[in-house]
Amino acid sequence: MMLRRGFILFFPRLVGLLVVACCSVSIVYMLACTPRGDNQQPALPRVHSPTVKEGYEVILQEREEQHHNYIISLKKQIAQLKAELQGRSEQLKNMEDQHPDPLDIQPDHSNPEKAQANLLAFLRSQIDKAEVHSGIKLSTEYAAVPFESFTLQKVYQLETGLTRHPEEKPVRKDKRDELIQVIELAVGSLNNPEGDGNAKHRVYTASDFVEGIYRTEKDKGTLYELTFKGDTQHQFKKIVLFRPFGPVMKVKNENVNVADTLINVIVPLAKRASKFRQFMQNFREMGIQQDGRIHLTVVYFGKEQMNEVKSILENTSKSANFKNFTFIHLNEEFSRGKGLDVGARFWKGNNVVLFFCDVDIYFTAEFLNSCRLNTQPGKKVFYPVLFSQYNPSIIYGHRDSIPSLEQQLIIKKENGFWRDFGFGMTCQYRSDFINIGGFDLDIKGWGGEDVHLYRKYLHSNLIVIRTPVRGLFHLWHEKQCLDELTPEQYKMCMQSKAMNEASHGQLGMLVFKQEIETHLHRQKMSSKKT
């Protein structure tokens, strides 16, 4: 009885335990067997689960496989890049073989055949680089390289040079020889055509030449297109030639020390004390203060204003503590050539650079170094082309006031021009001047003596350096052409006077001033009516 009662009491508890157990099993089964969504991440094993170790191993294995695949992908990309780089390198090498670098083409005495082959390859490549077979895109009209045309007798040129002739027989020997050689080569090519064998054809001569055009690309070469008469009236033969420029080659590499190179500035003068005062301001700033390796020789003609000039010179000497000057007085008629010659021969020191200068010249300290660098005794003389200033009253006539001198000295076409017809300002060693024979002292007054000396140097074996310089200016002054001058001197003086005043456009504005004012007046009246 007691056993039955105990069983009745225990049975409900047993049933409860079984129900709890069944529920637990159902929950575990649902968690384990429920399918995951596509984007669902695998659940990390619970810490207290019996499969913790296995779960972590599975995850680590998956991660390791992902990294391994990523490394394989990177290796493939690296291999592809290496292959592409090798291909590009081979292409570049082939291009270098076809178009050699001009800096690499140097004389190789150990292997002359290779050096010659490289040079020929470079020269052939110049044709491909130049604008021969096809056009080249240009940014503006200023970038275009124009042709010049020529016949057997004349050249029609844009760059007129010193002669100023738009057409002329070539006066420069290099240009004359160049065109003769080109015509002869073209005639030879016409008379010996390639691939014709023994076929008969007409014989061409220079008289069959009609016209030619040529232009030069400075870094590539010169292109020539020549036209000859054909077999009938309306047939022509055209020959295209190209003169390739060779590679740049090093000629010299040297150090030049001009620390102890003294310049003797020689100025011939008569009157013009106010201009001399302005010159000494420039000389003091540039020559004494900035440069310091300079001597001044003034050769003065006559007695008028002489004391004033000497006073300016002495005041500058005291205020700047400058003792390197010489004053020479000649009581005779002014002669520029005589003054420069006397000043050059008066020097008794060591060989010195002479700078023949005028009182209306402005120079910079940089120019003085150019003077030193472009002269060499027994080797080189320097003939700079200076920038000549127009009449400031014309240039700045529309302004309330004329700017300061330093502000005026700007190299622009509205302000002045390159004085390429003038040879008076020159630098040379005294020894070269003495050896060449100096100036022609029979020339009196203005002009002629400088051209005579220049021609002496051209006829010698010395190198004449002729170039525009940015630090040498001719200041405008009213020019007077005296009646005492010879007809040739007077003509040169008047030409110089005309070019000195203003540019072509500015002079045109003065000539048509009345028309311009009439037009402006009509425009003003018309606007009032409307």
Side-chain angles (χ1 to χ4, degrees):
M1 190 72 173
M2 292 193 56
L3 181 61
R4 182 180 178 185
R5 187 181 296 171
F7 178 76
I8 293 171
L9 292 174
F10 179 73
F11 183 78
R13 296 180 182 178
L14 181 61
V15 172
L17 289 172
L18 289 173
V19 170
V20 171
C22 289
C23 290
S24 300
V25 171
S26 299
I27 293 170
V28 170
Y29 177 80
M30 290 175 66
L31 291 173
C33 297
T34 302
R36 300 185 183 94
D38 292 338
N39 298 327
Q40 186 176 349
Q41 297 293 332
L44 287 174
R46 290 183 292 270
V47 177
H48 299 291
S49 170
T51 60
V52 169
K53 182 177 181 182
E54 291 81 356
Y56 275 115
E57 287 179 351
V58 170
I59 294 171
L60 289 174
Q61 187 175 0
E62 290 178 354
R63 295 289 174 85
E64 186 177 355
E65 290 178 357
Q66 291 176 357
H67 289 146
H68 181 67
N69 293 334
Y70 183 63
I71 291 171
I72 292 174
S73 175
L74 286 178
K75 286 182 177 179
K76 288 182 179 179
Q77 293 180 33
I78 292 171
Q80 291 175 354
L81 289 174
K82 284 183 177 179
E84 186 176 351
L85 180 61
Q86 185 177 0
R88 293 291 177 87
S89 299
E90 291 176 357
Q91 291 178 4
L92 182 61
K93 187 176 183 301
N94 292 333
M95 290 178 64
E96 288 176 347
D97 292 339
Q98 295 175 2
H99 308 288
D101 186 347
L103 297 179
D104 292 337
I105 301 176
Q106 300 295 336
D108 185 0
H109 300 290
S110 62
N111 193 348
E113 292 182 358
K114 181 181 178 182
Q116 185 177 8
N118 287 340
L119 180 58
L120 287 174
F122 173 79
L123 295 177
R124 291 190 189 99
S125 72
Q126 292 286 66
I127 300 177
D128 297 328
K129 296 176 186 176
E131 195 174 358
V132 178
H133 300 301
S134 61
I136 297 174
K137 292 182 179 180
L138 302 175
S139 56
T140 68
E141 65 274 19
Y142 299 103
V145 181
F147 283 88
E148 294 184 343
S149 61
F150 64 100
T151 63
L152 281 177
Q153 291 80 26
K154 297 287 184 69
V155 175
Y156 302 86
Q157 54 199 8
L158 292 175
E159 300 292 336
T160 57
L162 188 59
T163 65
R164 300 291 192 277
H165 295 315
E167 59 85 27
E168 66 176 4
K169 288 185 177 181
V171 293
R172 275 176 38 188
K173 184 178 184 300
D174 61 333
K175 182 181 287 189
R176 186 168 61 248
D177 292 348
E178 172 195 16
L179 298 181
I180 291 173
Q181 182 187 37
V182 166
I183 293 173
E184 290 176 350
L185 185 61
V187 170
S189 177
L190 287 171
N191 290 328
N192 296 282
E194 297 178 0
D196 277 8
N198 296 324
K200 293 183 178 180
H201 53 81
R202 61 172 289 189
V203 177
Y204 288 87
T205 64
S207 61
D208 294 314
F209 176 62
V210 179
E211 68 172 358
I213 59 174
Y214 71 99
R215 70 175 175 185
T216 299
E217 295 182 65
K218 302 289 187 180
D219 59 335
K220 301 176 184 69
T222 303
L223 172 66
Y224 308 89
E225 296 187 9
L226 294 90
T227 304
F228 290 82
K229 296 174 184 176
D231 296 331
T232 65
Q233 181 181 359
H234 300 294
Q235 284 186 343
F236 298 91
K237 285 279 189 178
K238 177 162 279 191
I239 296 292
V240 178
L241 303 174
F242 188 77
R243 185 194 299 271
F245 291 164
V248 177
M249 303 182 73
K250 183 176 71 177
V251 176
K252 186 186 295 185
N253 185 351
E254 62 180 354
N255 294 321
V256 180
N257 187 356
V258 296
D260 299 324
T261 304
L262 183 70
I263 295 179
N264 184 4
V265 182
I266 303 178
V267 180
L269 185 63
K271 306 176 185 178
R272 306 187 70 186
S274 60
K275 281 291 182 182
F276 184 70
R277 180 177 287 104
Q278 183 183 47
F279 172 83
M280 286 306 297
Q281 291 174 354
N282 172 229
F283 183 88
R284 174 175 178 168
E285 180 183 356
M286 300 297 174
I288 301 174
Q289 297 176 352
Q290 294 192 28
D291 187 84
R293 297 156 290 164
I294 200 164
H295 185 97
L296 176 62
T297 299
V298 178
V299 182
Y300 196 84
F301 289 82
K303 294 183 178 180
E304 188 176 351
Q305 299 185 16
M306 183 181 71
N307 291 333
E308 187 177 353
V309 168
K310 290 179 70 174
S311 176
I312 294 169
L313 190 57
E314 290 169 359
N315 289 337
T316 302
S317 172
K318 291 178 183 178
S319 60
N321 193 25
F322 178 70
K323 306 298 182 184
N324 293 338
F325 70 93
T326 303
F327 186 87
I328 302 171
H329 177 231
L330 298 179
N331 193 18
E332 56 186 83
E333 184 185 356
F334 177 80
S335 169
R336 184 178 186 274
K338 175 74 176 289
L340 294 172
D341 199 272
V342 168
R345 296 179 187 275
F346 191 84
W347 178 263
K348 303 304 179 186
N350 296 329
N351 200 10
V352 65
V353 176
L354 305 175
F355 171 30
F356 294 153
C357 189
D358 286 341
V359 73
D360 48 19
I361 294 298
Y362 181 97
F363 60 84
T364 65
E366 288 77 13
F367 166 75
L368 295 177
N369 268 335
S370 296
C371 193
R372 296 181 176 98
L373 292 169
N374 288 291
T375 52
Q376 187 176 344
K379 187 77 173 179
K380 292 190 295 186
V381 295
F382 187 38
Y383 271 83
V385 179
L386 51 78
F387 193 76
S388 191
Q389 181 191 30
Y390 288 139
N391 187 343
S393 62
I394 296 178
I395 300 173
Y396 307 103
H398 61 285
R399 299 190 182 182
D400 295 334
S401 61
I402 296 177
S404 65
L405 180 60
E406 287 72 17
Q407 292 175 321
Q408 294 178 39
L409 299 180
I410 300 173
I411 299 176
K412 292 171 58 178
K413 66 178 182 180
E414 297 85 4
N415 295 352
F417 63 99
W418 291 115
R419 201 180 185 88
D420 59 348
F421 56 85
F423 306 95
M425 310 313 125
T426 172
C427 298
Q428 61 219 264
Y429 270 86
R430 182 179 181 273
S431 58
D432 293 327
F433 177 77
I434 298 298
N435 292 335
I436 207 72
F439 284 102
D440 183 354
L441 301 184
D442 292 331
I443 299 176
K444 305 295 182 182
W446 187 93
E449 81 290 333
D450 51 355
V451 179
H452 188 267
L453 179 66
Y454 181 64
R455 287 172 180 165
K456 280 186 178 182
Y457 283 120
L458 293 178
H459 297 158
S460 74
N461 292 324
L462 295 176
I463 299 172
V464 178
I465 307 296
R466 180 73 167 158
T467 180
V469 290
R470 64 182 185 275
L472 190 63
F473 297 88
H474 177 266
L475 303 181
W476 182 87
H477 59 86
E478 188 173 357
K479 187 176 290 293
Q480 303 222 346
C481 300
L482 303 176
D483 292 335
E484 292 80 13
L485 296 174
T486 65
E488 184 63 26
Q489 286 179 322
Y490 192 83
K491 179 182 176 182
M492 292 171 60
C493 184
M494 290 302 294
Q495 288 175 342
S496 177
K497 181 176 182 178
M499 292 189 67
N500 248 16
E501 288 301 308
S503 67
H504 193 162
Q506 290 164 335
L507 289 176
M509 295 293 286
L510 293 176
V511 171
F512 300 111
K513 183 178 179 180
Q514 185 62 44
E515 291 185 34
I516 294 171
E517 290 179 351
T518 302
H519 172 74
L520 293 175
H521 178 71
R522 289 174 180 170
Q523 289 287 323
K524 187 176 181 181
M525 296 299 293
S526 176
S527 61
K528 285 182 177 180
K529 291 179 180 179
T530 56

